[in-house]
Amino acid sequence: MLPCSWGLWRSAIHTLKTFRASPSARGLCIPTRAVCDAETIFALSSGHGRCGVAVVRVSGPASSMVLRNMAGLTQALPPPRTALLRRITDPQSKELLDRGLVLWFKGPHSFTGEDSAEFHIHGGPAVITAVLQALGSLEGVRPAEAGEFTRRAFHAGKLGLTEVEGLGDLIHAETEAQRRQALRQMDGELGRLYQDWSYRLKRCLAHVEAFIDFSEDELIEDGVLNQVDSSVRQLETEIERHLKDERRGERLRTGVQVVIAGATNAGKSSLLNTLCQRPAAIVSPIAGTTRDIVETSLDIGGFPVLLSDTAGLRDSSDSVEREGVRRARQRVEQADLTLVVVDSTQLPPDPQLVAAFLQEHLSTVLPSPEAGMTAASDRVLLVLNKSDLVPEEQRERTEGELRERPGLPPACFLSCSTSTGLEDFLTVLQSRVKTLCGDPLSGAPSLTQARHRAHLQQSVQALNQYHQYRDQDLALAAEGVRLALTHLGRITGRVGAEEILDIIFRDFCIGK
Amino acid sequence: MLAQKLHLLRHNVLSFVSSRTGSDLTRRQYDVIVVGGGHAGTEAAAAAARLGAETLLITQKIMTIGALSCNPSLGGVGKGQLVREVDALDGLCGRAGDSAGVHFSILNRSKGPAVWGPRAQLDRERYRQFIQSELLSTPRLTVLEGSVDELLVSQPNPEEPGHHRVTGIRLGNLPQTSHNKLGEFWPIPPDRAGVTESVDGSHPILSSSVVLTTGTFLSGSLFMGQTTSPGGRMGDAQSCAGLSYTLKETLGLRVGRLRTGTPPRIVKESVDLSLAQLQAPDKQPTPFSFLNTHTRCKPEEQLPCYLTHTTPGVERVVRESVHLNCHIQQDAKGPRYCPSIESRVLRFPGRRHQVWLEPEGLTSDLLYPQGLSMTMPPELQLRLLREIPALHRAEIRTPGYGVQYDFVCPTQLTPSLQVKSTQGLFLAGQINGTTGYEEAAAQGLWAGVNAGRTALSLPPMALSRTQSYIGVLIDDLVGRGVTEPYRMFTSRAEFRTYLRPDNADLRLTPRGFEEVGCVTLRRYKKAVSVRDGLQEALMALQSVALSSTRWREKLGNISLSENKSTTLNGLDLLQYKDVSFEMLASAFPECLSQYFEYSQRLKIEAVYRPHCEKQSREMERIRSEESLSLPSDMDYLSLPVSLSQEVREILDRVRPNTLGAATRLPGMTPAGIIHLLNYVLRTGQRNRHTEHRNRSSQKEGEKGQLCASNIPISQ
């Protein structure tokens, strides 16, 4: 599970305690804990995809400063909750970013109960990115963790207890979205880089901790700390260089990730070609034609979609095909939406048996339910391809049968070769993509990047503390490494004390 | 004289329940019974008695109360912190260490005060004497020589969670000889005649709570070479199988098996110390206890330790003897950090391993070879020792041996160290899977506190991991369980820069007195005066403010990073490495010199304070998680909230004590936590309302469970 989402409910716990202590506080809107949240956060709170207006929300004590700096409001702030048309500029370069509406909410009369501001700007990706970057450059302002706005609202007693149930589901959805996002990013150069840093930092910490806990009794080589010194310095240099790199590592894949999966020869590549209206993938009647991922960018109902065709899932002795199958499964796990393609001619002729057949089939294609994806999930669509080869009457009866099965995802009969049923299928697909785009987390690489940058910067700062105290107080120096690892851990996953002890015992002969 | 044969009558028992001052001679009812007289048991008994509970300590041999079964030392890195904390809560081991220490040193002196490790070599005889005389002079504490055969359990109190309730113990038969020994060893002052009891036959003794501190005696077996015999310590009777049976069969507790060992004791005269490296103690011994300004042993009377190393010959002997060594062929888990010489050599071959030769006491003719715990046959032990140059003609007094023993998986305990399923039953020490005197003492103290509170109808208490190493220890045990003997390290503490040995009194003593009740008035007054003194001194330091230029003029050549015009106060300045309190006091004698006694503590406080402040939010968060208790009788499988079946099963299996512990469970989802939280909260509110209407104080305990008011110490 991702550490950032843990932060959310942790604080929620805190707040609920506050509730308990003063139930009246909620009704009277007395700001409680939220006031203590010293940091100011921002996030794009409208959905992604092509849209006319994007809303960027800022919350925290520095909100008024943000508004003054970005909207050129040197004098008084606008009256609360009143829209004002302003030029929005970069606070450093004073470059014009956009013209848009700004709103000021004085706490506690805001969603989060804190001082807040909203920027309603034009919806183009360039404008949004520029505004987010400008916000991130301000002192004391950082990108919000997932769900942090809701959390603060919760803190301030703005959410009633009945809404808590809903919050649970919200957090679940956010965690899921983040998990997918993280999987996508961890699978690649950038992910490997972060993992490598995390591994090396863990070793550094383990060696410092070993030196603290055991060097008086054990034969811990004197050089251990010198090694840590140079490893820490090396890490600092690498992270700093990475932060300065304008390219910022590899480009992240953007858009809603839609993956086509299914058994061999079900017509997955044909579906891809049909959807993108060009032969992007090779199709042939030979099972196992597609062996690697074929990716293509699409625009579905105005939303960016990254469509991937994958190798057919079957046990194969061919090592190339096996690798293709492995990649296919991995891709399904990372997907926002999976289109499971089934050859309709393979369906049982008796419509009453079809539901059970499909259920069984889905369980072989989709990852185990622990990964959060079940057949009933709204992240799966069933495509019953080659409908032209099935007798009309059987198709209709099957369709009727499937409509009454709530345990199954929506199923669409379709023929890629005659395009029958394509319209209906596109309607279903479009509504799904739209829902997914409403989730601000499916495919917001610039925000994720900003969050990563913030943590990497804090990590480097913490490592400075190591050098600062190295000769004066090793406990405080170690604190720097601990903190650096905590920040890196918010990207790569939390690291516990036991894990550090494991490294200590693996690397040293601890004998007393 | 001492042995009082009594025929217990039920109506007698009942009369004693109401009369706490009833004659000790006929007492068959106590508030608290502590089983075991080791480090955990003695602290538990003393703590319960300090709290005001009539306490009975039962031990197999009164003579071995306070015995150091293994190494003759106390403290160290992490462990020293525990000793300071036990002392801050008015426990015994710190003062016993000051009385028995013969070689004091602060480990990690160069690495920063947060990780300093106060440590001492001990005189075994003095340690035992101190502990025994302390217990003897503790009011409300009775010591009984005997062996516990069985735990008495009955139906639970329906008002509280649990499937059983402990009601006392049943004694087993004792060998007749122990009476004589007892009389010789334990002189009874006239006014407390009868305080020590010994009983024949199988007798029940009733109590409200029982603390089990049976160490390695639970199904313990001793190993040496190829021979195995039942027992928990060489030279002592084996423990009664009945107790083990009660825990496993009657109470259904899950147990695991661990192993440990001890080295052979060597005749000092036979060692060529000129071939070993002398390790001198600190010139000025630092006492463990906040109450002591100096140690019993004078600086110049201290004894040295010696350091030597293993040779390739040692490794050869180990390899040749593996087939004769049952202990290391077994797969019970041994500690990774205190392994036998056999496992060290086998795991890290081709290396030189350190061996410390430690004194056993001022008058002892033995040396303790730290690092040479071994279980091979005695003749091979001798061969092995003699492969080390300094020990080339060493003689063994008693050979080393290994012990394997059962421990109760500590996840079955609450943070107050009570067995979740059994009201009034507390466990502490090695029985919970820990190793080390200090870890045992810390748990013993806390189990004793809670056993006493339970008996006196006070709600249980937990220590936060943000406030003490004892809290870290207990939270790790009950929250995560153990897979190998658990030992304290400073790296286990998230808030290491706050949990320092120097401030343990400020962290724990006031609360120990005001809320827990285990601290005596004398110690409390002392801690309060230190706290106020430090506070005043810090304010005085902040009141002297000068520009950096002026400071440089006053103090001479010190490097200050701030620009010339910045104003710095004394506290800011004290953060600098080169600045000491003495320097500042000589610059401003009129307002600072009166605080000379705190100079070291002030320096430490100045350096660490900014870091601790940075962590305070994180601390508060952890504390709030910890303070949300989950009722231990919650039926997770049918809880009317939306939790997945997997999460329900995880919760049902582990039954976390607090929401904080639940979050650390693998497989737990954030959404699950929120739902759980919401449920607990609503239930808590409902309960409170009911209580309000009923004005019933009886449900106080349950309310504590639900609404987190059972953790006053962390609030």
Side-chain angles (χ1 to χ4, degrees):
Chain A
M1 208 50 68
L2 289 173
C4 25
S5 51
W6 285 108
L8 176 77
W9 57 257
R10 282 186 154 207
S11 309
I13 292 166
H14 201 127
T15 316
L16 278 180
K17 277 198 74 194
T18 319
F19 276 179
R20 184 171 55 72
S22 55
S24 61
R26 193 156 42 91
L28 297 173
C29 282
I30 295 167
T32 52
R33 290 264 171 223
V35 177
C36 313
D37 268 315
E39 287 169 305
T40 299
I41 52 169
F42 66 89
L44 178 65
S45 49
S46 53
H48 284 265
R50 212 161 286 168
C51 51
V53 176
V55 177
V56 176
R57 215 178 232 176
V58 181
S59 176
S63 297
S64 60
M65 179 275 284
V66 170
L67 208 53
R68 282 177 217 276
N69 271 302
M70 302 257 310
L73 293 161
T74 45
Q75 306 288 311
L77 289 165
R81 300 182 303 283
T82 311
L84 203 65
L85 181 66
R86 299 294 301 178
R87 289 156 56 90
I88 294 163
T89 56
D90 185 303
Q92 257 82 45
S93 65
K94 302 294 169 204
E95 181 194 342
L96 178 69
L97 303 175
D98 195 14
R99 274 169 69 83
L101 295 180
V102 297
L103 285 103
W104 162 242
F105 301 89
K106 176 96 186 100
H109 303 291
S110 68
F111 174 62
T112 56
E114 302 175 315
D115 284 357
S116 306
E118 276 181 17
F119 294 87
H120 295 208
I121 52 176
H122 289 97
V127 174
I128 296 174
T129 309
V131 170
L132 292 178
Q133 273 181 0
L135 281 166
S137 71
L138 286 165
E139 180 107 9
V141 182
R142 62 165 175 82
E145 296 288 342
E148 205 173 355
F149 278 91
T150 323
R151 197 251 293 163
R152 290 192 178 195
F154 192 62
H155 258 190
K158 292 282 182 176
L159 298 184
L161 274 181
T162 43
E163 289 169 81
V164 176
E165 286 283 337
L167 183 65
D169 300 334
L170 172 76
I171 290 170
H172 180 70
E174 276 167 351
T175 320
E176 255 310 293
Q178 277 180 39
R179 188 187 59 81
R180 277 178 274 139
Q181 181 92 42
L183 274 172
R184 292 203 276 265
Q185 283 168 24
M186 286 304 138
D187 171 35
E189 280 303 309
L190 201 55
R192 271 195 291 278
L193 187 67
Y194 292 162
Q195 292 291 0
D196 174 56
W197 286 340
S198 167
Y199 172 75
R200 283 156 59 193
L201 203 50
K202 257 186 274 185
R203 269 187 65 114
C204 286
L205 180 59
H207 288 199
V208 177
E209 297 284 6
F211 196 75
I212 289 175
D213 274 334
F214 301 104
S215 67
E216 290 276 349
D217 301 338
E218 314 299 332
L219 286 169
I220 289 186
E221 297 76 6
D222 296 335
V224 162
L225 275 196
N226 294 335
Q227 271 175 33
V228 172
D229 291 349
S230 58
S231 307
V232 167
R233 203 154 274 135
Q234 178 75 26
L235 272 166
E236 274 177 298
T237 319
E238 284 179 33
I239 300 177
E240 270 166 356
R241 198 189 302 142
H242 173 79
L243 283 169
K244 277 186 203 130
D245 186 349
E246 282 305 311
R247 285 171 293 131
R248 305 200 182 148
E250 69 185 320
R251 206 165 59 83
L252 296 166
R253 291 196 290 272
T254 63
V256 178
Q257 314 269 318
V258 178
V259 174
I260 306 176
T264 49
N265 224 5
K268 296 179 294 300
S269 302
S270 302
L271 180 62
L272 177 99
N273 291 344
T274 308
L275 285 174
C276 66
Q277 295 157 337
R278 66 187 162 87
I282 304 164
V283 287
S284 84
I286 302 160
T289 305
T290 308
R291 294 183 162 203
D292 201 353
I293 311 280
V294 178
E295 267 183 9
T296 177
S297 290
L298 277 181
D299 182 325
I300 293 180
F303 297 103
V305 165
L306 190 81
L307 188 66
S308 317
D309 180 22
T310 62
L313 302 171
R314 66 167 176 186
D315 292 327
S316 169
S317 53
D318 181 339
S319 63
V320 178
E321 191 176 347
R322 265 212 309 276
E323 174 61 18
V325 171
R326 191 191 66 79
R327 289 184 187 189
R329 292 202 183 275
Q330 191 181 29
R331 192 52 75 94
V332 170
E333 222 170 296
Q334 301 168 3
D336 293 318
L337 180 65
T338 306
L339 308 179
V340 178
V341 184
V342 181
D343 182 347
S344 334
T345 60
Q346 307 286 318
L347 294 176
D350 179 356
Q352 297 214 323
L353 300 176
V354 172
F357 171 85
L358 288 175
Q359 202 88 53
E360 169 70 26
H361 184 72
L362 282 172
S363 70
T364 62
V365 176
L366 299 175
S368 55
E370 291 93 76
M373 201 191 295
T374 55
S377 154
D378 53 5
R379 294 205 286 113
V380 181
L381 286 183
L382 267 169
V383 180
L384 307 176
N385 191 23
K386 308 188 191 176
S387 62
D388 51 319
L389 302 181
V390 178
E392 176 91 19
E393 186 249 5
Q394 186 196 335
R395 205 190 69 215
E396 276 169 6
R397 278 184 53 211
T398 309
E399 266 180 339
E401 194 66 36
L402 291 179
R403 253 196 295 277
E404 283 145 34
R405 295 285 172 155
L408 277 179
C412 302
F413 272 103
L414 173 73
S415 164
C416 288
S417 60
T418 65
S419 291
T420 321
L422 185 62
E423 280 299 309
D424 291 344
F425 169 66
L426 277 176
T427 314
V428 176
L429 179 62
Q430 199 169 316
S431 81
R432 279 297 146 106
V433 168
K434 200 170 156 185
T435 317
L436 283 166
C437 278
D439 170 4
L441 281 146
S442 1
S446 58
L447 259 187
T448 318
Q449 269 183 346
R451 204 173 63 77
H452 286 189
R453 283 180 74 78
H455 286 307
L456 290 176
Q457 261 151 2
Q458 281 161 322
S459 203
V460 171
Q461 269 168 24
L463 288 178
N464 279 332
Q465 187 181 330
Y466 171 78
H467 297 300
Q468 189 192 340
Y469 286 104
R470 158 72 163 82
D471 297 319
Q472 185 185 339
D473 190 313
L474 205 56
L476 289 176
E479 217 55 48
V481 186
R482 282 178 170 199
L483 195 60
L485 193 56
T486 307
H487 283 298
L488 206 54
R490 305 203 98 198
I491 307 177
T492 59
R494 194 154 70 172
V495 182
E498 279 301 316
E499 201 177 329
I500 297 299
L501 282 170
D502 284 341
I503 300 179
I504 294 179
F505 292 123
R506 196 190 60 215
D507 287 8
F508 300 101
C509 168
I510 304 294
K512 188 164 178 176
Chain B
M1 172 188 69
L2 291 165
Q4 294 291 330
K5 287 196 178 184
L6 290 163
H7 299 284
L8 197 67
L9 294 169
R10 194 148 278 273
H11 68 264
N12 272 357
V13 174
L14 292 173
S15 69
F16 291 124
V17 181
S18 50
S19 155
R20 294 167 131 265
T21 51
S23 162
D24 287 319
L25 280 170
T26 51
R27 182 182 290 284
R28 278 298 174 273
Q29 165 86 38
Y30 289 86
D31 291 328
V32 176
I33 294 176
V34 178
V35 182
H39 296 267
T42 50
E43 294 287 357
R50 281 202 304 280
L51 223 72
E54 279 298 335
T55 306
L56 176 70
L57 173 65
I58 304 176
T59 175
Q60 283 194 351
K61 272 195 222 168
I62 285 181
M63 227 178 85
T64 58
I65 287 179
L68 302 162
S69 313
C70 194
N71 51 311
S73 61
L74 187 73
V77 181
K79 288 167 172 277
Q81 273 83 343
L82 283 174
V83 176
R84 296 281 280 179
E85 291 183 359
V86 168
D87 181 69
L89 291 169
D90 229 348
L92 310 171
C93 68
R95 284 175 298 131
D98 291 342
S99 169
V102 292
H103 171 124
F104 288 85
S105 60
I106 300 276
L107 305 184
N108 271 352
R109 181 73 87 168
S110 64
K111 293 173 203 152
V115 294
W116 282 356
R119 185 177 185 280
Q121 296 298 146
L122 304 175
D123 180 307
R124 289 180 190 275
E125 207 47 51
R126 282 188 174 183
Y127 193 88
R128 204 167 62 176
Q129 276 167 10
F130 182 92
I131 295 282
Q132 294 188 356
S133 71
E134 269 296 311
L135 292 186
L136 186 62
S137 60
T138 302
R140 292 180 293 275
L141 178 59
T142 307
V143 180
L144 171 71
E145 188 162 286
S147 184
V148 173
D149 203 22
E150 194 190 339
L151 272 179
L152 304 176
V153 290
S154 74
Q155 291 300 310
N157 173 359
E159 297 280 311
E160 277 159 31
H163 306 305
H164 313 276
R165 182 166 59 93
V166 76
T167 55
I169 53 102
R170 187 184 298 283
L171 287 174
N173 281 313
L174 268 183
Q176 205 60 36
T177 51
S178 64
H179 296 223
N180 305 333
K181 261 192 218 159
L182 175 68
E184 284 164 18
F185 196 78
W186 197 255
I188 305 302
D191 59 319
R192 283 181 56 90
V195 167
T196 305
E197 300 179 28
S198 187
V199 185
D200 281 343
S202 172
H203 288 289
I205 305 179
L206 304 183
S207 67
S208 309
S209 39
V210 171
V211 186
L212 289 185
T213 67
T214 52
T216 55
F217 282 82
L218 203 63
S219 305
S221 12
L222 305 172
F223 288 79
M224 193 194 295
Q226 289 171 293
T227 59
T228 305
S229 56
R233 179 168 56 199
M234 209 60 105
D236 287 329
Q238 68 186 90
S239 60
C240 293
L243 199 54
S244 199
Y245 182 88
T246 320
L247 292 178
K248 283 192 252 186
E249 305 302 329
T250 315
L251 303 181
L253 295 177
R254 265 177 293 123
V255 300
R257 205 148 172 84
L258 292 173
R259 63 181 165 139
T260 184
T262 195
R265 311 300 197 263
I266 301 172
V267 177
K268 198 174 184 173
E269 273 188 345
S270 69
V271 178
D272 192 345
L273 289 172
S274 66
L275 295 175
Q277 202 181 325
L278 185 117
Q279 300 282 314
D282 286 355
K283 288 209 171 59
Q284 193 57 48
T286 311
F288 287 108
S289 175
F290 287 98
L291 291 181
N292 290 335
T293 49
H294 58 272
T295 58
R296 177 173 169 191
C297 183
K298 293 195 182 75
E300 65 279 9
E301 289 169 0
Q302 295 186 87
L303 302 175
C305 288
Y306 298 87
L307 175 62
T308 181
H309 295 93
T310 62
T311 58
V314 168
E315 196 168 326
R316 208 166 48 238
V317 177
V318 169
R319 292 195 182 283
E320 285 168 11
S321 67
V322 169
H323 66 287
L324 299 172
N325 200 331
C326 292
H327 191 59
I328 62 164
Q329 292 163 10
Q330 308 263 335
D331 51 76
K333 289 267 190 160
R336 285 184 293 187
Y337 35 76
C338 185
S340 61
I341 187 66
E342 290 98 330
S343 36
R344 290 170 83 182
V345 157
L346 296 175
R347 237 171 21 149
F348 293 94
R351 288 211 206 170
R352 227 165 59 123
H353 300 275
Q354 285 181 330
V355 175
W356 298 85
L357 301 172
E358 303 178 347
E360 292 242 319
L362 290 167
T363 55
S364 168
D365 61 343
L366 296 179
L367 283 178
Y368 178 92
Q370 179 80 270
L372 286 184
S373 157
M374 58 180 95
T375 56
M376 57 185 70
E379 57 282 8
L380 284 162
Q381 295 194 13
L382 190 64
R383 244 186 74 199
L384 185 148
L385 290 183
R386 291 184 172 182
E387 292 289 345
I388 296 171
L391 304 177
H392 68 275
R393 48 181 181 78
E395 292 298 337
I396 291 177
R397 175 69 53 81
T398 51
Y401 61 92
V403 190
Q404 293 188 8
Y405 55 98
D406 280 354
F407 73 100
V408 174
C409 300
T411 48
Q412 300 167 103
L413 306 180
T414 69
S416 65
L417 292 175
Q418 186 198 281
V419 174
K420 286 180 196 169
S421 68
T422 312
Q423 298 163 0
L425 179 61
F426 296 81
L427 308 180
Q430 275 170 305
I431 193 172
N432 290 341
T434 62
T435 172
Y437 303 154
E438 303 80 359
E439 287 82 354
Q443 292 170 70
L445 183 138
W446 204 244
V449 160
N450 279 301
R453 291 182 67 89
T454 302
L456 303 174
S457 305
L458 297 166
M461 282 193 164
L463 278 170
S464 166
R465 63 185 297 133
T466 64
Q467 287 296 315
S468 63
Y469 274 86
I470 307 181
V472 172
L473 168 72
I474 296 175
D475 187 51
D476 280 352
L477 289 178
V478 305
R480 273 208 292 261
V482 299
T483 51
E484 62 177 331
Y486 181 102
R487 175 185 148 179
M488 185 46 73
F489 305 113
T490 67
S491 52
R492 297 193 192 270
E494 292 89 345
F495 303 103
R496 183 163 64 188
T497 51
Y498 177 58
L499 307 186
R500 303 190 305 267
D502 64 279
N503 66 6
D505 55 343
L506 302 187
R507 285 186 280 124
L508 297 169
T509 308
R511 285 178 177 150
F513 179 82
E514 292 159 9
E515 295 161 29
V516 186
C518 66
V519 171
T520 49
L521 184 64
R522 170 177 166 238
R523 184 185 287 270
Y524 174 65
K525 279 187 174 160
K526 166 134 195 191
V528 167
S529 94
V530 168
R531 182 180 67 190
D532 296 346
L534 277 170
Q535 199 55 44
E536 267 176 44
L538 288 170
M539 274 154 67
L541 275 168
Q542 278 169 315
S543 72
V544 291
L546 296 177
S547 71
S548 341
T549 327
R550 293 271 292 125
W551 276 117
R552 269 189 217 99
E553 284 166 24
K554 278 243 177 204
L555 300 179
N557 225 355
I558 52 162
S559 54
L560 299 177
S561 53
E562 279 75 8
N563 25 352
K564 286 178 186 168
S565 55
T566 324
T567 308
L568 295 171
N569 66 38
L571 198 56
D572 298 330
L573 218 70
L574 204 49
Q575 289 176 32
Y576 286 90
K577 191 183 170 190
D578 305 328
V579 179
S580 70
F581 180 79
E582 285 80 357
M583 288 162 74
L584 297 178
S586 63
F588 293 94
E590 67 290 348
C591 66
L592 293 180
S593 58
Q594 51 183 310
Y595 303 114
F596 252 121
E597 59 175 314
Y598 303 126
S599 59
Q600 188 184 52
R601 293 187 69 159
L602 286 168
K603 170 76 187 173
I604 298 174
E605 196 62 38
V607 173
Y608 281 95
R609 181 165 282 211
H611 298 273
C612 296
E613 278 167 6
K614 264 193 248 167
Q615 288 190 316
S616 63
R617 261 180 70 184
E618 176 72 11
M619 270 187 179
E620 206 182 313
R621 202 174 69 181
I622 290 196
R623 235 174 286 166
S624 69
E625 275 175 29
E626 283 176 338
S627 61
L628 271 159
S629 302
L630 298 174
S632 58
D633 58 347
M634 192 124 98
D635 182 3
Y636 290 107
L637 297 177
S638 65
L639 208 61
V641 295
S642 60
L643 288 174
S644 75
Q645 195 56 29
E646 292 154 81
V647 167
R648 282 174 196 276
E649 279 164 17
I650 293 168
L651 288 168
D652 184 58
R653 197 176 61 242
V654 185
R655 314 202 72 81
N657 294 298
T658 63
L659 211 61
T663 65
R664 286 191 283 275
L665 294 176
M668 192 69 202
T669 62
I673 292 287
I674 290 287
H675 290 312
L676 203 55
L677 167 70
N678 189 29
Y679 175 77
V680 170
L681 187 79
R682 278 183 300 156
T683 325
Q685 276 183 340
R686 207 164 43 234
N687 270 27
R688 206 171 36 190
H689 291 151
T690 330
E691 263 164 59
H692 199 69
R693 274 197 299 275
N694 296 348
R695 300 221 175 267
S696 138
S697 61
Q698 294 229 312
K699 295 194 92 177
E700 202 57 38
E702 194 183 345
K703 178 192 161 196
Q705 281 282 350
L706 293 167
C707 300
S709 58
N710 63 336
I711 319 230
I713 199 158
S714 69
Q715 284 170 353

